[in-house]
Amino acid sequence: MRLGFFTRILDEVPPGERYRLAAEQIRHAEALGFDTAWVAQHHFDAAEGGLPSPLVFLAHVAAETRRIRLGTGIITLPLEDPLRTAEDTAVLDLLSGGRLEVGVGSGGTPASFAPFGRDSADRAALYAEHLAVLVRAWSGEDLGGGNRLHPPAPRLTGAVWEATFSVAGGARAGRAGNGLMLSRTQPRPADRPEATLAELQRPIVDAYLENLPPDATPRIMASRTAFVADSRTEALRHAERGLSGGRLPFELPDSDLDRRITAFDVHVGTPQDVIETLRADPVLDRVTDLALQVHSVDPPHPLILRSIELLATEVAPALGWVPSAERSLA
């Protein structure tokens, strides 16, 4: 299992400082042996996520790191020009020394589509069309008039990850031989508002594996919220603040913190607390990659750094993770 650090870039500071802190968190994760770092893309809404241009940000981070792999989680592909995305990812992969992982998805915020002249109702068709163009470009195919992607980027055809909430999406990613990205949480069906995350995601994994070509290697990444602190009291204090007022598919008072932690699929507490709850997640027995983030708790930056340390030194090793430096010596 590879260990990843994921950030939506939500520190409560001005945008430039947000980016500086996120870059520091990724450097910290690299120093502690994390295998991957992932950043989310969001347009317009700073409270939802502070980064509209993940490839620009990752180019900056690539210059400040040497080993950690850098991924998008995700690029909202229906809103992008796929040829420009192919060019930008090709350049970034070269600049990073072949460390780029490309997570893509159809997007989850309908209001973001109108400014781009797109209709959210068309997202599925646009996603399929743009992904096909992206893969053709990376593969070196003729893009019209004898033009081919430069610089060439054939490696990136094997670095695609598809994010999905659905069984059909899992099957699609499997058929393509791409990686499967599972979210830290996801919408509950109207008739099953208190379904567990594992109950929703296990069928997606099943569909992915059932449709994967026989010669393809499974790549399954699960993102999970995990905030680890030196004391349970400290962790719960920040969880109470971060989880209050959040939207749920059913009524739940802010005062019922334990049920909110469960409803938001959050792993929080001391290292032992988080080890126990992550071990109880049956989806994680089947993943190749585990990406951990502090959202939706969103504690202050120093506590994020401390959580990264505790995840790398205590939590992840208890789950079977071995730092890359130790793996290379084995």
Short mmCIF file of all heavy atoms in Angstrom, two decimals, residues 78-115:
data_model
loop_
_atom_site.label_atom_id
_atom_site.label_comp_id
_atom_site.label_asym_id
_atom_site.label_seq_id
_atom_site.Cartn_x
_atom_site.Cartn_y
_atom_site.Cartn_z
N PRO A 78 -14.69 18.10 -17.68
CA PRO A 78 -15.65 18.74 -18.60
C PRO A 78 -15.43 20.24 -18.78
O PRO A 78 -15.86 20.81 -19.79
CB PRO A 78 -17.01 18.48 -17.94
CG PRO A 78 -16.80 17.25 -17.15
CD PRO A 78 -15.40 17.35 -16.63
N LEU A 79 -14.75 20.89 -17.82
CA LEU A 79 -14.53 22.33 -17.90
C LEU A 79 -13.21 22.69 -18.56
O LEU A 79 -12.91 23.87 -18.73
CB LEU A 79 -14.59 22.95 -16.50
CG LEU A 79 -15.89 22.71 -15.72
CD1 LEU A 79 -15.82 23.43 -14.38
CD2 LEU A 79 -17.10 23.17 -16.52
N GLU A 80 -12.42 21.70 -18.94
CA GLU A 80 -11.08 21.95 -19.48
C GLU A 80 -11.03 21.72 -20.98
O GLU A 80 -11.78 20.89 -21.53
CB GLU A 80 -10.06 21.02 -18.80
CG GLU A 80 -9.99 21.13 -17.29
CD GLU A 80 -9.37 22.43 -16.82
OE1 GLU A 80 -8.63 23.07 -17.60
OE2 GLU A 80 -9.62 22.80 -15.66
N ASP A 81 -10.11 22.41 -21.65
CA ASP A 81 -9.76 22.09 -23.03
C ASP A 81 -8.82 20.88 -22.96
O ASP A 81 -7.71 20.97 -22.41
CB ASP A 81 -9.04 23.27 -23.68
CG ASP A 81 -8.65 23.00 -25.12
OD1 ASP A 81 -8.15 21.90 -25.41
OD2 ASP A 81 -8.83 23.89 -25.96
N PRO A 82 -9.24 19.73 -23.48
CA PRO A 82 -8.43 18.52 -23.26
C PRO A 82 -7.06 18.57 -23.91
O PRO A 82 -6.10 17.99 -23.37
CB PRO A 82 -9.30 17.41 -23.86
CG PRO A 82 -10.24 18.10 -24.80
CD PRO A 82 -10.49 19.45 -24.21
N LEU A 83 -6.92 19.26 -25.05
CA LEU A 83 -5.59 19.35 -25.66
C LEU A 83 -4.66 20.22 -24.83
O LEU A 83 -3.47 19.89 -24.66
CB LEU A 83 -5.70 19.90 -27.08
CG LEU A 83 -6.26 18.94 -28.13
CD1 LEU A 83 -6.29 19.60 -29.50
CD2 LEU A 83 -5.43 17.65 -28.18
N ARG A 84 -5.17 21.31 -24.28
CA ARG A 84 -4.34 22.13 -23.41
C ARG A 84 -3.98 21.36 -22.14
O ARG A 84 -2.86 21.49 -21.63
CB ARG A 84 -5.06 23.43 -23.06
CG ARG A 84 -5.16 24.41 -24.22
CD ARG A 84 -3.79 24.99 -24.60
NE ARG A 84 -3.21 25.73 -23.47
CZ ARG A 84 -2.10 25.39 -22.84
NH1 ARG A 84 -1.39 24.34 -23.21
NH2 ARG A 84 -1.67 26.11 -21.82
N THR A 85 -4.92 20.58 -21.63
CA THR A 85 -4.62 19.77 -20.46
C THR A 85 -3.54 18.75 -20.79
O THR A 85 -2.63 18.50 -19.99
CB THR A 85 -5.89 19.05 -19.97
OG1 THR A 85 -6.88 20.03 -19.63
CG2 THR A 85 -5.59 18.20 -18.74
N ALA A 86 -3.61 18.15 -21.98
CA ALA A 86 -2.58 17.20 -22.40
C ALA A 86 -1.21 17.87 -22.46
O ALA A 86 -0.20 17.31 -22.01
CB ALA A 86 -2.94 16.61 -23.76
N GLU A 87 -1.17 19.09 -23.02
CA GLU A 87 0.11 19.80 -23.11
C GLU A 87 0.65 20.16 -21.74
O GLU A 87 1.84 19.97 -21.45
CB GLU A 87 -0.07 21.06 -23.96
CG GLU A 87 -0.34 20.77 -25.43
CD GLU A 87 -0.62 22.02 -26.24
OE1 GLU A 87 -1.19 22.99 -25.68
OE2 GLU A 87 -0.27 22.04 -27.43
N ASP A 88 -0.22 20.69 -20.87
CA ASP A 88 0.24 21.11 -19.54
C ASP A 88 0.72 19.92 -18.71
O ASP A 88 1.73 20.00 -18.01
CB ASP A 88 -0.89 21.84 -18.80
CG ASP A 88 -1.14 23.24 -19.36
OD1 ASP A 88 -0.31 23.73 -20.14
OD2 ASP A 88 -2.17 23.83 -19.01
N THR A 89 -0.01 18.81 -18.78
CA THR A 89 0.41 17.64 -18.01
C THR A 89 1.70 17.05 -18.56
O THR A 89 2.54 16.56 -17.80
CB THR A 89 -0.70 16.57 -17.98
OG1 THR A 89 -1.14 16.29 -19.33
CG2 THR A 89 -1.89 17.03 -17.15
N ALA A 90 1.86 17.11 -19.88
CA ALA A 90 3.10 16.59 -20.48
C ALA A 90 4.31 17.39 -20.01
O ALA A 90 5.36 16.82 -19.66
CB ALA A 90 3.00 16.62 -22.00
N VAL A 91 4.18 18.72 -20.00
CA VAL A 91 5.28 19.56 -19.54
C VAL A 91 5.55 19.34 -18.06
O VAL A 91 6.71 19.19 -17.63
CB VAL A 91 4.98 21.05 -19.83
CG1 VAL A 91 6.01 21.95 -19.17
CG2 VAL A 91 4.96 21.30 -21.34
N LEU A 92 4.50 19.29 -17.26
CA LEU A 92 4.68 19.10 -15.82
C LEU A 92 5.31 17.75 -15.52
O LEU A 92 6.17 17.63 -14.63
CB LEU A 92 3.33 19.23 -15.10
CG LEU A 92 3.32 18.93 -13.60
CD1 LEU A 92 4.40 19.71 -12.86
CD2 LEU A 92 1.95 19.23 -13.01
N ASP A 93 4.92 16.71 -16.25
CA ASP A 93 5.51 15.40 -15.99
C ASP A 93 7.01 15.42 -16.26
O ASP A 93 7.80 14.83 -15.51
CB ASP A 93 4.82 14.34 -16.85
CG ASP A 93 5.14 12.92 -16.38
OD1 ASP A 93 5.00 12.66 -15.17
OD2 ASP A 93 5.55 12.10 -17.22
N LEU A 94 7.42 16.11 -17.32
CA LEU A 94 8.86 16.23 -17.60
C LEU A 94 9.57 17.02 -16.51
O LEU A 94 10.64 16.62 -16.02
CB LEU A 94 9.08 16.90 -18.95
CG LEU A 94 8.83 16.06 -20.20
CD1 LEU A 94 9.02 16.91 -21.44
CD2 LEU A 94 9.77 14.85 -20.24
N LEU A 95 8.99 18.15 -16.11
CA LEU A 95 9.63 18.98 -15.10
C LEU A 95 9.74 18.27 -13.75
O LEU A 95 10.67 18.53 -12.98
CB LEU A 95 8.84 20.28 -14.92
CG LEU A 95 8.87 21.27 -16.10
CD1 LEU A 95 7.92 22.43 -15.83
CD2 LEU A 95 10.29 21.78 -16.33
N SER A 96 8.81 17.39 -13.46
CA SER A 96 8.81 16.70 -12.17
C SER A 96 9.61 15.40 -12.20
O SER A 96 9.69 14.71 -11.19
CB SER A 96 7.37 16.39 -11.74
OG SER A 96 6.77 15.43 -12.60
N GLY A 97 10.17 15.06 -13.34
CA GLY A 97 10.91 13.81 -13.43
C GLY A 97 10.01 12.59 -13.49
O GLY A 97 10.35 11.53 -12.97
N GLY A 98 8.85 12.74 -14.13
CA GLY A 98 7.94 11.60 -14.29
C GLY A 98 7.17 11.26 -13.03
O GLY A 98 6.80 10.10 -12.83
N ARG A 99 6.85 12.28 -12.22
CA ARG A 99 6.17 12.03 -10.94
C ARG A 99 4.68 12.36 -10.96
O ARG A 99 4.03 12.30 -9.92
CB ARG A 99 6.84 12.84 -9.83
CG ARG A 99 8.22 12.33 -9.45
CD ARG A 99 8.75 13.06 -8.23
NE ARG A 99 9.25 14.39 -8.54
CZ ARG A 99 9.13 15.44 -7.75
NH1 ARG A 99 8.46 15.34 -6.61
NH2 ARG A 99 9.63 16.61 -8.10
N LEU A 100 4.12 12.70 -12.09
CA LEU A 100 2.74 13.16 -12.12
C LEU A 100 1.75 12.00 -12.17
O LEU A 100 1.93 11.04 -12.92
CB LEU A 100 2.52 14.07 -13.34
CG LEU A 100 1.13 14.69 -13.47
CD1 LEU A 100 0.81 15.60 -12.29
CD2 LEU A 100 1.01 15.47 -14.78
N GLU A 101 0.69 12.12 -11.36
CA GLU A 101 -0.47 11.22 -11.41
C GLU A 101 -1.68 12.10 -11.76
O GLU A 101 -1.87 13.17 -11.15
CB GLU A 101 -0.70 10.55 -10.05
CG GLU A 101 0.49 9.77 -9.52
CD GLU A 101 0.65 8.40 -10.17
OE1 GLU A 101 -0.33 7.92 -10.78
OE2 GLU A 101 1.75 7.82 -10.07
N VAL A 102 -2.49 11.68 -12.72
CA VAL A 102 -3.56 12.53 -13.23
C VAL A 102 -4.93 11.97 -12.82
O VAL A 102 -5.45 11.05 -13.46
CB VAL A 102 -3.48 12.69 -14.76
CG1 VAL A 102 -4.52 13.70 -15.23
CG2 VAL A 102 -2.09 13.13 -15.17
N GLY A 103 -5.49 12.53 -11.76
CA GLY A 103 -6.84 12.19 -11.36
C GLY A 103 -7.83 13.09 -12.06
O GLY A 103 -7.65 14.31 -12.11
N VAL A 104 -8.86 12.50 -12.64
CA VAL A 104 -9.87 13.25 -13.39
C VAL A 104 -11.26 12.85 -12.93
O VAL A 104 -11.47 11.76 -12.39
CB VAL A 104 -9.73 13.03 -14.92
CG1 VAL A 104 -8.43 13.61 -15.43
CG2 VAL A 104 -9.84 11.54 -15.26
N GLY A 105 -12.22 13.75 -13.14
CA GLY A 105 -13.60 13.47 -12.80
C GLY A 105 -14.52 14.40 -13.54
O GLY A 105 -14.09 15.35 -14.21
N SER A 106 -15.82 14.14 -13.38
CA SER A 106 -16.81 14.94 -14.11
C SER A 106 -17.21 16.20 -13.37
O SER A 106 -17.88 17.06 -13.93
CB SER A 106 -18.05 14.09 -14.40
OG SER A 106 -18.64 13.64 -13.19
N GLY A 107 -16.80 16.33 -12.11
CA GLY A 107 -17.10 17.55 -11.35
C GLY A 107 -18.36 17.42 -10.53
O GLY A 107 -19.29 16.70 -10.89
N GLY A 108 -18.40 18.14 -9.40
CA GLY A 108 -19.52 18.00 -8.51
C GLY A 108 -20.25 19.27 -8.16
O GLY A 108 -21.17 19.24 -7.35
N THR A 109 -19.87 20.40 -8.73
CA THR A 109 -20.50 21.68 -8.39
C THR A 109 -21.19 22.25 -9.62
O THR A 109 -20.55 22.89 -10.46
CB THR A 109 -19.45 22.68 -7.87
OG1 THR A 109 -18.69 22.07 -6.82
CG2 THR A 109 -20.13 23.93 -7.33
N PRO A 110 -22.49 22.04 -9.77
CA PRO A 110 -23.20 22.49 -10.99
C PRO A 110 -23.04 23.97 -11.27
O PRO A 110 -22.95 24.37 -12.44
CB PRO A 110 -24.66 22.14 -10.68
CG PRO A 110 -24.58 20.98 -9.73
CD PRO A 110 -23.38 21.27 -8.87
N ALA A 111 -22.97 24.81 -10.23
CA ALA A 111 -22.89 26.25 -10.45
C ALA A 111 -21.60 26.67 -11.14
O ALA A 111 -21.51 27.77 -11.69
CB ALA A 111 -23.02 26.98 -9.11
N SER A 112 -20.57 25.81 -11.12
CA SER A 112 -19.30 26.17 -11.74
C SER A 112 -19.32 26.06 -13.26
O SER A 112 -18.42 26.56 -13.94
CB SER A 112 -18.18 25.27 -11.20
OG SER A 112 -17.99 25.48 -9.82
N PHE A 113 -20.33 25.41 -13.82
CA PHE A 113 -20.32 25.14 -15.25
C PHE A 113 -20.68 26.37 -16.09
O PHE A 113 -20.11 26.59 -17.16
CB PHE A 113 -21.27 23.97 -15.57
CG PHE A 113 -20.67 22.63 -15.29
CD1 PHE A 113 -20.40 22.22 -13.98
CD2 PHE A 113 -20.35 21.77 -16.32
CE1 PHE A 113 -19.85 20.98 -13.71
CE2 PHE A 113 -19.78 20.52 -16.07
CZ PHE A 113 -19.53 20.13 -14.76
N ALA A 114 -21.66 27.16 -15.63
CA ALA A 114 -22.16 28.28 -16.44
C ALA A 114 -21.06 29.27 -16.84
O ALA A 114 -21.01 29.70 -18.01
CB ALA A 114 -23.29 28.99 -15.71
N PRO A 115 -20.16 29.71 -15.95
CA PRO A 115 -19.13 30.66 -16.37
C PRO A 115 -18.22 30.13 -17.47
O PRO A 115 -17.62 30.92 -18.21
CB PRO A 115 -18.34 30.91 -15.07
CG PRO A 115 -19.31 30.62 -13.98
CD PRO A 115 -20.12 29.47 -14.48
#
